[in-house]
Amino acid sequence: MFLISSGEPLESGDVRGDAGGDESSVLVAVRVRPLNSTERSQGDQGVLCCPGQGTILVNNGAQDRAFTFDAVFEAGCSQHEVFEQCGVKRLIDLATDGFSCTVFGFGQTGSGKTYTITGPQSLVSSFST
Ligand SMILES: Nc1ncnc2c1ncn2[C@@H]1O[C@H](COP(=O)(O)OP(=O)(O)OP(=O)(O)O)[C@@H](O)[C@H]1O
């Protein structure tokens, strides 16, 4: 889960599946991490479904429960899509114009916070060499 905040209201058009309507300086986005090789090898199954409109369905084995956020990114979404569509790219532009901006990752260990903030390791490596 990512809280995205800037010193000026973000436009709702920055966010796919906008559910709020009112402009806000804080947006909450969820990115689903794909199952990793360990999880796949032990036969784990995904329990999340992303039908759009900022909604995520969590299946507890018996029924779906729906939760709504400003944006939801399913497991197949690229880093580019996440940064572009949840407004992070625009925050970088605002930051260079002097606005205070924050992107805050929240989730259990291994859920993908570092990956989402910094990008895939291959991308990080290409900047550090
Ligand atoms: N969207 C994604 N697509 C592919 N792999 C991912 C994705 N998100 C995370 N991963 C992989 O899952 C693993 C855990 O991700 P990451 O290190 O970002 O978790 P974290 O939430 O920062 O964990 P911690 O809180 O323990 O630091 C890493 O190997 C990372 O490459």
Side-chain angles (χ1 to χ4, degrees):
M1 178 178 296
F2 292 87
L3 297 176
I4 300 153
S5 162
S6 77
E8 70 166 29
L10 293 167
E11 293 160 18
S12 58
D14 288 338
V15 180
R16 182 172 57 175
D18 172 50
D22 293 337
E23 284 194 350
S24 168
S25 61
V26 178
L27 302 177
V28 182
V30 171
R31 183 183 198 181
V32 178
R33 175 178 63 70
L35 293 178
N36 61 34
S37 55
T38 305
E39 291 162 341
R40 283 198 305 275
S41 68
Q42 63 194 23
D44 289 352
Q45 302 283 321
V47 295
L48 305 177
C49 176
C50 308
Q53 302 299 311
T55 299
I56 190 163
L57 301 176
V58 182
N59 189 290
N60 67 3
Q63 61 181 4
D64 285 330
R65 288 198 62 192
F67 299 87
T68 305
F69 300 90
D70 291 302
V72 170
F73 296 94
E74 56 194 350
C77 281
S78 69
Q79 189 72 8
H80 179 81
E81 287 174 295
V82 173
F83 267 44
E84 189 79 55
Q85 293 171 18
C86 77
V88 175
K89 193 172 169 203
R90 183 154 170 266
L91 280 194
I92 295 168
D93 291 337
L94 287 170
T96 58
D97 286 342
F99 287 94
S100 296
C101 303
T102 303
V103 179
F104 177 86
F106 176 82
Q108 73 180 63
T109 185
S111 58
K113 302 178 296 292
T114 306
Y115 184 99
T116 293
I117 297 282
T118 63
Q121 191 55 44
S122 56
L123 198 61
V124 177
S125 307
S126 69
F127 277 107
S128 58
T129 53

